[in-house]
Amino acid sequence: MQVKVHHRLRRAPTRRGVPEPDDAATMANGGGYLEPLLVSRIEDRDGRVIEDFSPQDPDIALEPDVAYTLLDNLRGAINRGTGRDIRSRYGIRADVAGKTGTTRAPRTAGSS
């Protein structure tokens, strides 16, 4: 399988312990990157739209099947992994994905 990776996703999400917010949003958006949009529209006091800042079509940062696989693995960290206690501790019932555990220690295939 050949995977095309958007420049924003080339850094390892684990380098700082958590994925960058735009990287996580891209995975959740099926691999489509959207530039963050702070203001969606401006209206006057009567509700007339003065300016509309609709989002552009997303750039394809990851193939959809790759984005789904990444997202599913991150869901697994919460549903079956070391983050599973978050549901009972905080009563979370929503679809949640997350990354747990970070190490700065170098590892090789033979170490545990």
Side-chain angles (χ1 to χ4, degrees):
M1 175 194 310
Q2 188 175 18
V3 177
K4 197 173 172 184
V5 178
H6 188 276
H7 72 280
R8 293 183 181 277
L9 296 173
R10 287 190 181 141
R11 62 187 176 272
T14 58
R15 189 179 319 156
R16 283 172 281 227
V18 295
E20 293 290 324
D22 57 340
D23 293 351
T26 297
M27 284 183 258
N29 193 35
Y33 172 76
L34 289 169
E35 190 73 33
L37 184 62
L38 182 62
V39 177
S40 59
R41 74 175 172 226
I42 299 172
E43 299 177 357
D44 66 13
R45 70 177 80 181
D46 297 320
R48 290 185 296 256
V49 176
I50 296 170
E51 189 71 46
D52 190 3
F53 304 100
S54 298
Q56 303 296 317
D57 290 335
D59 292 330
I60 303 304
L62 290 171
E63 298 299 324
D65 59 331
V66 174
Y68 176 79
T69 299
L70 283 168
L71 188 56
D72 195 48
N73 281 304
L74 293 171
R75 282 182 180 123
I78 301 299
N79 294 333
R80 299 177 300 280
T82 56
R84 67 185 170 273
D85 292 340
I86 193 171
R87 292 194 179 281
S88 60
R89 184 176 299 162
Y90 298 104
I92 296 173
R93 301 176 66 85
D95 182 25
V96 178
K99 184 208 162 300
T100 59
T102 298
T103 182
R104 295 186 189 274
R107 297 184 72 155
T108 63
S111 66
S112 57

